[in-house]
Amino acid sequence: MTAPATDPQVLNRIYELAARIRLCDERVIKMLTGGEMAIIYYPVTGQEVLAAASGAVLRADDYVVTTYRGMHDQVAKGMPFGPLFAEYMGRVSGACKGKGGPMHITYPELGIMVTSGIVGGGLPIANGLGWAAQLLGQDRVTVVNFGDGAANIGAFHEALNLAALWDLPVVFLCQNNRYAEHTSYARSQRNEQVAPRAEGYGMAGVTVDGNDAAAIYSVLAEAVAKARRGEGPTLVEAMTYRFNGHYFGDPQEYMPTEEKKAAKAADPVKALRRKLIDEGHANEEDLAALEARIRAELDEAVAAAKAAPMPDLAELYTDVYAEELAS
Ligand SMILES: Cc1ncc(C[n+]2csc(CCOP(=O)(O)OP(=O)(O)O)c2C)c(N)n1
Ligand SMILES: [Mg+2]
């Protein structure tokens, strides 16, 4: 049974995960700005709370599928900073031995099954994970994260149709951040929201404020519980906003200044922090101590990644093909 969203422990857990994501995102951006690391990074700033709520709902043995903009989903599912930064920096101690890079983080021992750079590519894979659980009689649930842009890809329609038909234990979590690369949501489809499309597949669909911790937690808890009971998938559309453009370094000229200002003024991580203190669920000292612990963990992970070696050239084809190539 999942605890209700009104439970202070739940809100504190969501804040802890959101703070881990926010501080990790800040560290990556600082390292890129300072030339300490050179990767393509798709910032998750502004989308932390919905991922943290998902992390608070899921069990350790549940599965997550995400995209290139996926650090928040990975960290929320428990991804440790050590193998994350080592993978970013291409080191042997990385989650994929330094051969996957930032767009392909996996950590199967914690259910972080796939990170894909193919827009919409994760949805049919999530169906496969869900179908496997169903066939094996397991009650684990798969949450697949994707963007508003991905909802216009053929794979979205195929995956939702099949998941509904087979009652697959999958939650389709559309993170509607209002942009797909440099194109606004309004310029790419007539429908005002993504969730009502679920009806076309005979599936439940719900739009929720993804920046409101209690609201998104409640919706996800219900969708996950339903999938776990074998009652099929749900399309959850979490409304959110991307603070930092498509990729790190994006000049963001297509994003109206006023719109960005308003979103940042309503920063969901800061809002949750304030709520915890105002409602007496946490105090300033405890939260500051938590944030200091997370920063120290990040320091340690970055230092360890820097000290670790790059993969040996002999490793080039290892884990790439089902059968090793004859050398
Ligand atoms: C199949 C495919 N088409 C196009 C691209 C190029 N591309 C990369 S990200 C992106 C935008 C996707 O937007 P959205 O689904 O809203 O996700 P967000 O980046 O906002 O998280 C596009 C078109 C791609 N990676 N894969
Ligand atoms: Mg988007």
Side-chain angles (χ1 to χ4, degrees):
M1 252 317 265
T2 321
T6 43
D7 184 337
Q9 272 190 355
V10 166
L11 292 177
N12 271 296
R13 175 70 181 142
I14 297 175
Y15 180 72
E16 183 184 350
L17 292 172
R20 290 181 73 78
I21 297 163
R22 171 62 59 90
L23 293 172
C24 182
D25 183 68
E26 282 179 6
R27 181 63 58 100
V28 173
I29 290 174
K30 184 167 169 253
M31 289 175 74
L32 293 173
T33 311
E36 266 182 279
M37 182 164 71
I39 59 168
I40 299 175
Y41 182 61
Y42 300 90
V44 301
T45 341
Q47 301 182 209
E48 298 90 344
V49 164
L50 68 93
S54 168
V57 166
L58 291 178
R59 281 192 334 215
D61 66 336
D62 287 330
Y63 293 140
V64 161
V65 175
T66 186
T67 74
Y68 47 90
R69 192 183 317 284
M71 184 274 279
H72 55 334
D73 302 323
Q74 295 144 7
V75 169
K77 191 67 175 56
M79 182 73 206
F81 294 139
L84 181 72
F85 276 88
E87 191 60 39
Y88 282 176
M89 300 179 89
R91 310 300 162 125
V92 285
S93 47
C96 298
K97 299 186 191 171
K99 297 190 291 184
M103 268 205 254
H104 303 104
I105 302 292
T106 60
Y107 208 70
E109 51 267 62
L110 288 176
I112 302 160
M113 303 308 282
V114 182
T115 297
S116 175
I118 310 299
V119 170
L123 286 86
I125 297 173
N127 274 358
L129 290 164
W131 194 30
Q134 194 182 63
L135 288 174
L136 294 168
Q138 299 168 337
D139 70 346
R140 47 179 25 157
V141 172
T142 300
V143 171
V144 52
N145 298 277
F146 54 95
D148 43 291
N152 295 330
I153 290 265
F156 167 90
H157 306 283
E158 297 171 24
L160 267 72
N161 181 57
L162 208 60
L165 186 67
W166 291 353
D167 280 330
L168 295 180
V170 177
V171 176
F172 294 91
L173 180 49
C174 177
Q175 303 188 12
N176 187 343
N177 61 12
R178 329 266 182 94
Y179 289 91
E181 280 192 325
H182 313 281
T183 307
S184 71
Y185 181 87
R187 287 188 62 205
S188 57
Q189 56 220 307
R190 285 244 180 253
N191 315 60
E192 279 178 25
Q193 302 291 163
V194 171
R197 294 184 189 191
E199 204 188 328
Y201 310 103
M203 186 189 295
V206 51
T207 301
V208 59
D209 181 351
N211 293 343
D212 178 330
I216 178 70
Y217 176 88
S218 297
V219 166
L220 286 175
E222 196 182 324
V224 167
K226 183 178 153 197
R228 215 183 286 295
R229 290 195 303 267
E231 292 170 18
T234 306
L235 171 61
V236 176
E237 177 186 21
M239 299 308 296
T240 186
Y241 193 77
R242 197 188 64 181
F243 285 7
N244 276 324
H246 181 52
Y247 53 87
F248 170 76
D250 179 352
Q252 306 169 35
E253 279 156 5
Y254 55 94
M255 294 167 77
T257 311
E258 286 310 310
E259 180 187 281
K260 266 193 288 187
K261 247 199 205 155
K264 287 181 184 175
D267 185 329
V269 181
K270 288 186 183 161
L272 179 56
R273 194 181 195 283
R274 216 174 309 118
K275 179 183 163 79
L276 288 176
I277 294 175
D278 289 351
E279 293 181 6
H281 303 319
N283 62 49
E284 175 59 41
E285 293 70 38
D286 288 346
L287 294 184
L290 166 74
E291 290 148 5
R293 280 199 301 277
I294 297 171
R295 285 198 177 89
E297 217 180 300
L298 285 162
D299 289 344
E300 204 179 303
V302 171
K306 284 182 178 173
M310 299 281 186
D312 193 275
L313 198 58
E315 268 270 318
L316 195 60
Y317 293 112
T318 314
D319 302 328
V320 174
Y321 298 101
E323 286 175 32
E324 299 298 327
L325 292 180
S327 48

